[in-house]
Amino acid sequence: MSKVDFTGRVAIVTGAGVGLGRSHALGLAARGAKVVVNDLGVATDGTGANSAQAEAVVKEIRDAGGEAIAHGANVTDEAQVKDMVDQAIAEWGHVDILVNNAGILRDKTFVKMEMPDFRLVLDVHLMGSVVTTKALWEHFRAREYGRIVYTTSASGMYGNFGQSNYGAAKMGVVGLMNVLCQEGAKYNIKINTLAPTAATRMTEGLLPQQVLDLLQPETITPGLMALVTDGAPTKMILGAGGGVFAETKIYETVGVAFGDDELDVDSIVARMDDIRDPKGQKEMAGAFDQTSKYAQMAAAIRGITLPSK
């Protein structure tokens, strides 16, 4: 089994001053990558700013014999992100890997949540991922190489009380991945999402210490690195925590086609169990696969033959 080696690769890791981001930056550097340690140095709710955390991670990498620079770009600020990318290219000539890890929390139940808090969390997690990706997209296309990871969450995929803003943002990056992995395929740009469960500032006080001890960031970073190798998959949602890794997929049931004489709400309610029956469910490769499926089923029940795609 050959060892994964990132020698010659340049990675930008956002939110890399503490927690998961720090672990990712150190892990990539230990395998030979040159790393831009991005961190605004804010508290978990996004307030304040301090460059000391990013500088400390850079020192750790350099002390271990690696190469790294710090940058305090706010991932929602296009000019600052462009400056970060420009500095990385000026320093090392190119960028190969983008790890979108920066994030904040403004948890409250929906009834108590103020709209500015909802928008800010969406802005940092979702738009921050968009801004960093956009800053590198043409660079990756021109070089015909790029590896991007977005950080999603079980809070978005499965739900978590009091995190409507966070959950919406985290499912947003899954949608971003689903589209961009198609647009980037011909340019060897591979895009995946990581769904970590980790002991970080964001989970302090939410889980028992015994559980937190198992869910250290270092147990997740190997999975992150697997998503940015030369032979990485694309369009994968990788769940990770405590050294456990699993893939999440979005499936669609076979469904039920209704003829014109029964196409009404009463029929749908009466057959809801059949509509939800998981037997035969499958993954859709893209949006038009669903469109084709529905059109074929609708035509068949009406005796219409459609041309095969």
Side-chain angles (χ1 to χ4, degrees):
M1 183 175 64
S2 59
K3 289 189 66 175
V4 170
D5 187 356
F6 292 110
T7 299
R9 297 297 183 197
V10 177
I12 293 175
V13 183
T14 70
V18 296
L20 275 170
R22 171 182 173 274
S23 178
H24 296 340
L26 293 174
L28 287 163
R31 291 279 179 152
K34 302 173 178 66
V35 182
V36 178
V37 179
N38 164 254
D39 204 287
L40 191 56
V42 299
T44 55
D45 65 355
T47 58
N50 191 322
S51 63
Q53 294 169 332
E55 294 289 357
V57 177
V58 167
K59 185 177 186 304
E60 283 187 78
I61 291 171
R62 290 176 176 173
D63 287 350
E67 294 185 51
I69 58 174
H71 199 287
N74 181 330
V75 294
T76 68
D77 187 305
E78 294 177 45
Q80 291 181 27
V81 170
K82 181 181 184 301
D83 182 73
M84 175 173 66
V85 170
D86 289 347
Q87 284 194 32
I89 294 173
E91 183 78 15
W92 295 307
H94 58 91
V95 177
D96 305 285
I97 297 166
L98 170 64
V99 178
N100 290 279
N101 173 77
I104 64 169
L105 291 177
R106 293 283 178 96
D107 292 354
K108 282 185 180 178
T109 57
F110 193 63
V111 71
K112 295 179 180 179
M113 187 173 294
E114 301 292 335
M115 291 309 296
D117 288 338
F118 202 106
R119 290 192 178 96
L120 181 60
V121 169
L122 279 172
D123 204 24
V124 174
H125 290 272
L126 178 55
M127 290 309 300
S129 296
V130 173
V131 169
T132 55
T133 301
K134 186 67 172 177
L136 282 163
W137 194 250
E138 284 299 329
H139 180 71
F140 285 167
R141 279 167 43 107
R143 297 188 67 243
E144 296 192 349
Y145 190 94
R147 299 292 182 266
I148 302 172
V149 173
Y150 301 126
T151 304
T152 186
S153 172
S155 294
M157 294 185 292
Y158 310 123
N160 194 38
F161 191 90
Q163 290 194 314
S164 57
N165 50 2
Y166 182 73
K170 288 308 190 182
M171 277 307 286
V173 298
V174 173
L176 182 63
M177 171 194 73
N178 287 340
V179 173
L180 293 187
C181 70
Q182 296 183 21
E183 295 184 11
K186 68 182 289 186
Y187 302 101
N188 190 24
I189 302 172
K190 296 184 177 182
I191 307 171
N192 298 285
T193 54
L194 181 70
T197 297
T200 67
R201 293 187 302 171
M202 290 189 176
T203 54
E204 279 181 10
L206 299 177
L207 297 169
Q209 189 59 48
Q210 190 176 19
V211 174
L212 292 173
D213 290 342
L214 290 171
L215 301 177
Q216 293 302 306
E218 293 75 19
T219 68
I220 291 166
T221 291
L224 176 280
M225 291 193 289
L227 297 179
V228 296
T229 61
D230 287 354
T234 195
K235 200 182 177 183
M236 181 179 186
I237 304 171
L238 179 65
V244 178
F245 301 93
E247 182 174 12
T248 297
K249 286 182 175 287
I250 299 172
Y251 289 95
E252 182 171 299
T253 65
V254 172
V256 176
F258 294 88
D260 294 330
D261 60 342
E262 58 176 352
L263 183 54
D264 57 49
V265 64
D266 302 307
S267 298
I268 294 171
V269 170
R271 299 200 62 186
M272 189 61 74
D273 287 346
D274 294 330
I275 293 170
R276 302 183 71 182
D277 184 355
K279 183 180 179 181
Q281 66 185 11
K282 67 176 185 179
E283 184 185 13
M284 293 289 167
F288 278 98
D289 292 82
Q290 184 195 62
T291 302
S292 176
K293 169 190 167 182
Y294 290 179
Q296 292 288 347
M297 289 177 67
I301 201 169
R302 292 167 175 81
I304 301 170
T305 301
L306 296 180
S308 57
K309 62 177 180 178

